[in-house]
Amino acid sequence: MTTIKLDPGAALLLDTLHGAGHAAYAVGGCVRDSLLGLDPHDWDLCTSARPEQVMALFGEEKCIPTGLQHGTVTVKQGGRLYETTTFRTEGAYSDGRHPDAVCFVPDVREDLARRDFTINAMAYSAEEGLIDPFGGRDDLAAHLVRAVGEPERRFEEDALRILRLYRFAARFGFAIDPATGAAARALGPHLDCVSAERIQEELLKLLAAPRPGRYLEPAVLAVVLPELEPEKQPERFAELCRTIDRIEPTAENVPARLAALLCPLGEAGARKALRKLKCSNALTDEVTALEREVGGGAGSFLLGHESGHSIARPIACGNRVPPQRTVLGETPGTPNTTLTVQAKRLLGRYELPTIKRLTALCSARHPEQTRAFAALQAEAERLTAENACCRVSQLAVNGRDLMAAGVRPGPGLRQVLNALLETVITGQTPNEKDALLAAAAQFSAS
């Protein structure tokens, strides 16, 4: 018999339900992940007990009635939350997302039959072992994602399952059952009944997978992000997917991967698409900043990059500075005045996490220059650790100091501060009060 090590809190709740005469199991993702040797993040339970019986058994102080109409009670145990749902079948899905009604049933197998994919349609208890009526364990061994029963019916019930199909396959690097994949592609237009927030959530989880490129199905993306025209421009879309896969799969790099996907749209088009997906302001600003820098516009990070190693100097602190090109150093860690200046200019415009995403995106788009971008990131990290002066706010003098030294207030004051910052960034003046005041006196006299 297959044995799974249950989470202590889940085991205690299951024992309590069993002791009261109810059938109860761990179910879904926690069973799947346990069979894969992974540590489940959440433990969901299912039981023959009705919601009111669950609440009576564990007490109202430990229970949250999160979805009584669907049979779900969240039970607090040992500092964790456990969703506990009554075995159920579901009626029609008039809106393509939610069942019109549910019917509580006594058999866990009936409950498992309503679930999306076989690898998520398994239950477990210490007494009975693994309950696997649809071959989920075999599909795990075969590295396959397959719908429970008829895939068309599963996707017609809930169109969001189409995106979940690719997300699960990408997360584990599994293949997609041919019939299930064909149904997902055919029914992709049904995603128009899914909220933008849920589409965004699944898309971001997909982009967080190790190598999501092969799972960005053009027929589905054509519905979710029609602006990309993935089916009309297959070669361009394939290159986008390769670029995404070159970016290291960390949670911090999801905005960079999203920016890589949206690169053909430019800054304005990306912002429009992100707003349509109801992305947060923070994520929208981060992604569009990356788009702006790789887009080749005035002041962009990659202006002139296609023709060589030279890159344009970005705008520092929101104030335009004279156009100037610099050359990236090829060896990380080697003293390089030009590299230092470039890194300081970027730090004057962005925080270090954004610079890391920018260099990751640039390296993915231009892998032949990976060493140069790695050197730039390393220099930005060094300067941040040293609290190097990269912004007006970091100068050893401020506006009051300059006025006390005789600089007139008004627009000219800001110009002097910007000029002082420029001399500090380029190494012409140390960031010391006396030296800066002397330089300011020269600027005012000229």
Side-chain angles (χ1 to χ4, degrees):
M1 183 173 74
T2 299
T3 301
I4 289 176
K5 183 179 180 181
L6 292 168
D7 168 81
L12 180 59
L13 297 182
L14 292 174
D15 287 344
T16 303
L17 287 162
H18 291 150
H22 305 293
Y25 306 87
V27 69
C30 60
V31 178
R32 176 200 67 222
D33 290 352
S34 295
L35 292 175
L36 288 172
L38 305 174
D39 184 19
H41 295 296
D42 300 299
W43 287 83
D44 293 337
L45 311 179
C46 62
T47 177
S48 60
R50 298 293 185 98
E52 63 272 16
Q53 292 174 311
V54 173
M55 295 187 71
L57 184 60
F58 294 108
E60 291 188 2
E61 68 281 357
K62 292 182 64 175
C63 295
I64 305 170
T66 44
L68 294 183
Q69 71 275 23
H70 295 114
T72 301
V73 175
T74 299
V75 183
K76 294 178 282 188
Q77 175 61 48
R80 296 189 65 175
L81 300 177
Y82 300 85
E83 279 198 0
T84 305
T85 303
T86 304
F87 303 153
R88 74 190 196 204
T89 57
E90 297 171 341
Y93 285 68
S94 298
D95 65 355
R97 275 289 291 123
H98 309 96
D100 297 336
V102 301
C103 179
F104 299 141
V105 295
D107 188 351
V108 68
R109 289 164 181 80
E110 293 183 76
D111 181 274
L112 296 175
R114 70 177 174 82
R115 296 176 181 262
D116 52 8
F117 309 114
T118 62
I119 61 174
N120 297 333
M122 295 179 284
Y124 177 85
S125 73
E127 292 76 11
E128 298 181 55
L130 185 68
I131 309 298
D132 180 22
F134 303 104
R137 178 169 53 179
D138 289 342
D139 284 346
L140 282 179
H143 293 182
L144 185 71
V145 183
R146 179 167 58 92
V148 172
E150 299 175 8
E152 292 85 359
R153 181 178 178 182
R154 295 285 83 82
F155 296 139
E156 286 172 351
E157 289 171 341
D158 182 358
L160 186 64
R161 289 170 173 168
I162 295 170
L163 290 178
R164 285 168 58 84
L165 167 68
Y166 297 102
R167 190 248 293 182
F168 281 121
R171 176 184 171 187
F172 300 117
F174 285 4
I176 293 174
D177 166 64
T180 302
R185 291 189 294 274
L187 295 173
H190 287 216
L191 283 163
D192 64 1
C193 68
V194 180
S195 71
E197 291 87 351
R198 295 307 303 274
I199 289 175
Q200 174 216 140
E201 179 183 358
E202 290 297 326
L203 179 60
L204 294 181
K205 287 180 179 178
L206 171 54
L207 290 174
R211 293 181 63 82
R214 62 180 281 213
Y215 301 99
L216 290 166
E217 170 57 49
V220 174
L221 264 292
V223 178
V224 175
L225 289 168
E227 306 93 328
L228 288 177
E229 300 183 325
E231 294 180 300
K232 294 181 181 179
Q233 302 192 53
E235 293 184 4
R236 185 187 73 173
F237 185 70
E239 179 56 32
L240 291 181
C241 293
R242 288 190 289 270
T243 298
I244 290 168
D245 284 347
R246 293 187 195 112
I247 298 173
E248 187 178 356
T250 64
E252 294 77 13
N253 275 344
V254 169
R257 283 181 157 187
L258 183 55
L261 178 64
L262 299 179
C263 265
L265 305 182
E267 180 185 355
R271 183 175 293 277
K272 183 177 180 181
L274 294 166
R275 285 177 174 168
K276 185 181 71 173
L277 290 173
K278 302 293 182 66
C279 293
S280 68
N281 290 337
L283 178 59
T284 298
D285 290 344
E286 180 74 9
V287 172
T288 51
L290 298 177
E291 299 290 359
R292 180 167 59 251
E293 294 301 337
V294 301
S300 74
F301 178 66
L302 282 181
L303 185 62
H305 188 75
E306 295 289 343
S307 60
H309 290 277
S310 59
I311 55 181
R313 174 174 129 189
I315 303 166
C317 303
N319 294 281
R320 292 193 176 273
V321 289
Q324 176 179 327
R325 290 180 182 267
T326 57
V327 181
L328 288 174
E330 290 282 342
T331 306
T334 301
N336 185 313
T337 301
T338 305
L339 180 65
T340 299
V341 170
Q342 178 64 25
K344 284 183 176 182
R345 295 197 193 287
L346 279 176
L347 286 168
R349 189 170 183 177
Y350 301 114
E351 299 296 334
L352 182 60
T354 299
I355 295 174
K356 289 181 177 181
R357 295 185 187 109
L358 179 57
T359 54
L361 176 58
C362 292
S363 294
R365 295 188 73 203
H366 303 276
E368 74 282 358
Q369 296 190 40
T370 294
R371 290 180 63 196
F373 290 119
L376 179 62
Q377 177 178 317
E379 184 67 3
E381 291 173 344
R382 182 186 71 81
L383 292 168
T384 299
E386 295 178 358
N387 196 30
C389 179
C390 305
R391 304 183 182 194
V392 166
S393 61
Q394 294 174 304
L395 287 171
V397 295
N398 55 34
R400 289 194 182 93
D401 295 325
L402 295 186
M403 287 188 289
V407 179
R408 293 179 181 179
L413 184 65
R414 183 70 185 186
Q415 292 174 2
V416 172
L417 285 169
N418 286 335
L420 291 175
L421 176 64
E422 178 69 12
T423 65
V424 170
I425 285 177
T426 56
Q428 300 172 54
T429 307
N431 188 27
E432 298 171 359
K433 186 173 183 177
D434 290 344
L436 292 172
L437 289 176
Q442 292 181 348
F443 293 147
S444 299
S446 59

